[in-house]
Amino acid sequence: MLAESRVDLFVDRVLAVWDALPEPMAGVRLAQLAASVFGNAHALDYREDLGRAVARLLAHVHGLPKPTRPDRHWRAAWAAAGVRCDGVSSRVLTLNLPLTGEAPATRWCGPTGEPVWLTLRSITGNWSVSPSTPVFVCENVSVVEAAAHEYGPNCPPTVCTDGNSSLAAIDLVVGLATAGCALSVRADIDDAGLVIVENLMAAAPDATLWHYGVPTYRRYLGIGGLEASAGDPRRVSPKSRRCLDMDGGRRRPLCDERP
């Protein structure tokens, strides 16, 4: 009975959102809709069950791809109902990324040698990159800053998630992968970094690991006892996940900023 009551309550909340949806061209913001219905601007965020349920229902009704992460499919589902998602709080750092097209970001990107922050809003629209362009993806902004200082405009195109991948970072990586770029990814070798890399590889399944995994961990921390094979460069293997258990229980992280 308790479980049925919770289901009924959840359905009532979904219906409350549905009844409050604006006209398709209204352009109401998602946070505004959530606040008006529930008094909580984050009630319909992707991390909330309610937000995911309504977005997937909208996608089904409008014949759109099912949102499985807070990416362009998520935004398209809400947009079909006249709801606009926040496009400026999510950002991603880039260096020498040769974007072309009509999206606002194309006006600022290129081999300038200077790091550029892009918002989700700035990469919304048509943009492209030449197929097979090598793009390196890292976790920490200090890596990009060092690369800009050392190599300037000669540094290969680089993307930085600045910690956990934002909507902007995932959207950009998906777009680069779709364009046929040769993506190489890395992050800190710690519990959080492993999740970051797994999320990036999920967004770009053909990406390869960039000095990331067991061989790298062993080499930098001087740990023996496990074969040096790199394994499949397209996934974080179970052996990679055991990196942190190889250090005598100390679980020392290996930072992205290592030389």
Side-chain angles (χ1 to χ4, degrees):
M1 184 65 69
L2 181 58
E4 291 181 1
S5 297
R6 289 177 176 174
V7 171
D8 290 342
L9 177 60
F10 188 79
V11 171
D12 287 343
R13 289 168 64 84
V14 171
L15 291 175
V17 177
W18 202 264
D19 290 340
L21 290 174
E23 294 296 323
M25 300 301 292
V28 172
R29 299 194 178 279
L30 182 61
Q32 179 184 354
L33 175 65
S36 66
V37 178
F38 302 109
N40 177 3
H42 298 288
L44 296 174
D45 287 356
Y46 181 81
R47 66 174 178 268
E48 301 294 336
D49 291 339
L50 182 62
R52 295 194 299 274
V54 175
R56 289 170 183 174
L57 181 58
L58 284 168
H60 177 75
V61 169
H62 292 279
L64 299 171
K66 174 183 176 182
T68 57
R69 61 173 61 94
D71 58 7
R72 59 188 64 185
H73 296 321
W74 163 265
R75 298 196 303 279
W78 285 109
V83 179
R84 298 174 61 184
C85 298
D86 169 32
V88 296
S89 62
S90 181
R91 62 181 190 168
V92 58
L93 184 62
T94 66
L95 174 65
N96 296 340
L97 197 61
L99 300 186
T100 60
E102 300 175 356
T106 62
R107 300 197 295 267
W108 315 315
C109 289
T112 66
E114 285 299 318
V116 177
W117 286 102
L118 303 179
T119 64
L120 184 61
R121 177 185 173 91
S122 73
I123 56 175
T124 298
N126 295 323
W127 59 267
S128 63
V129 183
S130 297
S132 302
T133 298
V135 179
F136 294 88
V137 185
C138 62
E139 175 186 350
N140 296 293
V141 297
S142 55
V143 174
V144 174
E145 184 175 24
H149 179 75
E150 185 73 18
Y151 302 108
N154 296 318
C155 181
T158 305
V159 172
C160 176
T161 65
D162 189 20
N164 290 325
S165 301
S166 64
L167 303 186
I170 291 295
D171 202 69
L172 180 61
V173 167
V174 169
L176 292 171
T178 302
C181 293
L183 291 162
S184 302
V185 305
R186 68 188 274 185
D188 294 343
I189 299 183
D190 58 13
D191 290 321
L194 286 164
V195 172
I196 291 170
V197 168
E198 287 180 330
N199 288 337
L200 290 171
M201 300 295 276
D206 291 329
T208 58
L209 299 178
W210 171 28
H211 296 302
Y212 195 81
V214 171
T216 302
Y217 194 75
R218 292 177 65 234
R219 182 170 66 254
Y220 277 85
L221 295 186
I223 300 171
L226 193 66
E227 62 270 26
S229 173
D232 187 343
R234 294 183 300 277
R235 68 187 183 94
V236 181
S237 68
K239 288 178 182 176
S240 296
R241 284 203 160 277
R242 291 205 301 272
C243 281
L244 297 176
D245 296 323
M246 296 167 55
D247 194 19
R250 288 178 291 177
R251 297 178 64 79
R252 287 181 291 173
L254 182 57
C255 295
D256 195 25
E257 297 94 336
R258 62 186 178 271

